[in-house]
Amino acid sequence: MVRRNPKNPANRNTGRGNASAANAGGGSGFVRIIAGKWRGRKLPVKNVEGLRPTTDRVKETVFNWLAADLYEARCLDVFAGSGGLGLEALSRQAEQVTLLELDKGAASQISQNLNTLKADNATVHNTDALSYLSNKGQPFDVVFIDPPFRNDLLSDVISKLEQNGWLSHNALIYIEAEKELGQPVVPTHWDMIKEKHAGQVSFRLYQREEK
């Protein structure tokens, strides 16, 4: 997996990559939509340094976990990268998806892919995730958090989501992180309902219970 240099502040946002790693010579890879109305579609992904692949196997597991909860859900993809999770949620009938991505090229490619799909119920923000989440928010039903490795962003994101009103009462929160971190510290009213490991990655699904 490709990881960004944690000392570079420009690395704070880009996390998840394409389903097929972009080649090192400057070409592009692709993201594949697994199921739903766009099942099987392959969409281009910019070869941006630091994009880290989420495999189809992991993605399929995650969306099996969420299968009963995506219909008409409002979703937030905090470190969008290739946009793979947000696009998959849209394909599976999410009502609206907001995607945050710091890298201009990656954000532009997500927007182009949404135009290709004629998806008018998604918004891409080319912005720093922590700055965006520092504002008062609107509640989302499903939130995807897959920060770049070794940048120590997870605790700040969790805190801002909870404190600034970004989560609905019973929101589902998906967290993907390097296995070496162990189980992340989350609010006491977040219950971990699913957990799995694949290679160097651990991924978990939490259910927020109303205080």
Side-chain angles (χ1 to χ4, degrees):
M1 292 183 178
V2 180
R3 302 189 184 97
R4 287 179 176 265
N5 179 350
K7 295 181 180 179
N8 184 349
N11 295 343
R12 297 210 318 178
N13 228 67
T14 301
R16 189 166 46 259
N18 50 301
S20 174
N23 64 62
S28 295
F30 63 87
V31 61
R32 184 173 73 90
I33 298 177
I34 296 172
K37 62 184 177 179
W38 300 317
R39 180 179 180 178
R41 291 291 296 270
K42 291 182 179 180
L43 299 162
V45 174
K46 290 286 188 183
N47 185 16
V48 176
E49 180 188 357
L51 282 180
R52 175 172 50 80
T54 289
T55 66
D56 282 358
R57 182 166 62 91
V58 170
K59 192 160 58 172
E60 185 171 12
T61 298
V62 172
F63 282 91
N64 283 341
W65 292 349
L66 293 169
D69 301 288
L70 283 172
Y71 181 69
E72 295 187 346
R74 293 177 50 79
C75 303
L76 174 65
D77 193 350
V78 178
F79 299 96
S82 67
L85 294 186
L87 292 169
E88 192 74 35
L90 287 167
S91 183
R92 299 178 189 230
Q93 306 297 321
E95 179 180 299
Q96 194 274 337
V97 175
T98 297
L99 305 101
L100 311 181
E101 175 53 44
L102 179 62
D103 186 272
K104 185 176 181 179
S108 177
Q109 185 64 68
I110 296 171
S111 295
Q112 290 176 42
N113 289 341
L114 290 169
N115 288 336
T116 297
L117 296 169
K118 297 181 171 57
D120 59 2
N121 56 338
T123 304
V124 182
H125 295 282
N126 178 203
T127 186
D128 176 78
L130 290 178
S131 296
Y132 187 89
L133 296 175
S134 295
N135 300 306
K136 287 297 182 183
Q138 53 183 332
F140 287 90
D141 306 306
V142 178
V143 177
F144 301 104
I145 310 172
D146 180 10
F149 279 8
R150 299 189 174 96
N151 278 25
D152 195 24
L153 298 173
L154 190 52
S155 59
D156 283 346
V157 169
I158 290 171
S159 176
K160 291 179 187 301
L161 286 170
E162 186 63 49
Q163 294 175 6
N164 293 329
W166 292 101
L167 302 172
S168 63
H169 292 318
N170 300 114
L172 291 162
I173 304 102
Y174 168 74
I175 296 177
E176 182 176 330
E178 57 268 46
K179 188 187 293 185
E180 65 200 55
L181 284 182
Q183 190 168 325
V185 176
V186 300
T188 56
H189 58 290
W190 289 22
D191 295 328
M192 187 175 69
I193 57 177
K194 298 286 185 180
E195 179 182 32
K196 203 162 183 178
H197 311 281
Q200 301 177 60
V201 174
S202 294
F203 49 107
R204 301 173 175 90
L205 185 65
Y206 294 85
Q207 173 88 60
R208 182 181 187 268
E209 300 294 337
E210 186 175 0
K211 292 182 181 180

